[in-house]
Each structure stands twice: as C-alpha cells, then as structure tokens.
Amino acid sequence: MRAPIGDFDTAVPAPDCLDELTAPVAEAVRRWTGAVPADRIVYVETDPRWADTAVFVEHYGRDLLGASANCVVVAGRRGGETTLAACLVLSTTKVDVNGVVRRRLGARKASFASVDTATGATGMEYGGITPIGLPRDWPLLVDPAVVDLPYVLVGSGRRRGKLLVPGEAFAELPGAVVLEGLGV
C-alpha cells in the first residue's frame, strides 16, 4: 500500500497491524466507530531516532511539516483537583496552555503534564503519544486546522511508527472538542 501522504517504505492499514501499536491504541482501532472507516487510518513504519517532529521532517521530507500534528498531555489544577486532558495542534504551532486550555478546563493553573504522568496515564511512549486510544474520560482539545486537513501525521503510541489519519476523524474521538485558538 502507498501512504496517502509522505514517502514511507512501509504503509499498512492500522487494523492490519495491531501488534505494532501500544495496547490502548490497538484497542481503540479494534473498536473504531465513526464516519471515517478504521482502514483509512494508516500505520507507517519509521525509525524511533527520528520521532521528534523537527528531526522527522528533516529525514522523511519537509513537506510533511504542514501535515504533522503534536498531541500533548496537559494538567489543569483547581483547588487540589487535577484534570488531565490532551491537546492536538499542528506541529507548526504551540498549544495555548495558559489561555484557551486553562479556561476550557476551568482550571486556576494549567501546564504540560510531566513525562511520568503523561506516559503512565496513557500507556504510550513519550514522543509517540497519539489522540487515538487516550482514556475515554479525558477531554481531547483539537485545533480546527487539524480537522481541516485531508490526512494528518501523528504518533502511534510508540516512538517507532506514525499514524496517518484523516483530519475529520479527530473530531469524532471520545471527548473531542474542536476549539478555536488552541494552536498559536
């Protein structure tokens, strides 16, 4: 199969390679519902040394930068309570954690979650966290620019491999809220 974007040696529909994904991501693909069929989610094999976006596009092609998104875990705090959420923005932008995210979570303070918190709560590797397979009770805040893309390159739950996902599919994930101004 040829990848819908980019030039990768190996591209496989995600339902056909569940063993390449972390348990939460594989389970989410296995139970996939929505307007976008699961077989339109494509797994591409990549080298974990080049998992971070800047290095990734240098190796696999600068044209992927405009179609890449980062999924980050944030922690909102208010009165001793902490709410974890995920934010999905284009790789060319940054998450407005102290403005849009803090207000949306109703938090007094918001920050990026620690590596241990992010990986422990998601069951995914740092540098490979993806919105597919996140805890179902988490808010997933998605920038509209991500949803508007035909295909988006995101993590696969591991540093090895990426997922190519139709942008519109992110708006249908559990807890998803498309939020203007999330990526700045």
Side-chain angles (χ1 to χ4, degrees), residues 20-161:
E20 296 295 329
L21 307 172
T22 60
V25 178
E27 186 61 24
V29 170
R30 192 176 291 112
R31 294 185 175 190
W32 188 264
T33 61
V36 175
D39 63 358
R40 288 194 52 214
I41 301 168
V42 177
Y43 172 81
V44 292
E45 190 171 307
T46 60
D47 190 313
R49 293 176 295 170
W50 300 304
D52 297 323
T53 304
V55 179
F56 186 89
V57 299
E58 284 298 320
H59 185 76
Y60 290 103
R62 287 203 138 305
D63 57 319
L64 290 169
L65 184 60
S68 297
N70 291 327
C71 184
V72 297
V73 178
V74 296
R77 293 173 195 81
R78 182 182 223 34
E81 294 288 319
T82 300
T83 301
L84 295 177
C87 300
L88 185 65
V89 298
L90 293 179
S91 297
T92 55
T93 65
K94 295 182 186 232
V95 177
D96 183 4
V97 175
N98 289 308
V100 172
V101 174
R102 183 185 57 74
R103 285 189 299 275
R104 179 65 192 194
L105 297 179
R108 192 172 158 277
K109 182 178 178 170
S111 60
F112 293 104
S114 71
V115 171
D116 290 342
T117 297
T119 58
T122 63
M124 300 178 201
E125 293 178 7
Y126 190 74
I129 294 176
T130 185
I132 297 172
L134 291 170
R136 295 182 73 77
D137 60 340
W138 281 20
L140 169 59
L141 310 179
V142 182
D143 191 88
V146 173
V147 176
D148 290 343
L149 288 174
Y151 268 90
V152 181
L153 176 85
V154 294
S156 67
R158 301 178 351 170
R159 289 183 65 81
R160 172 177 295 285

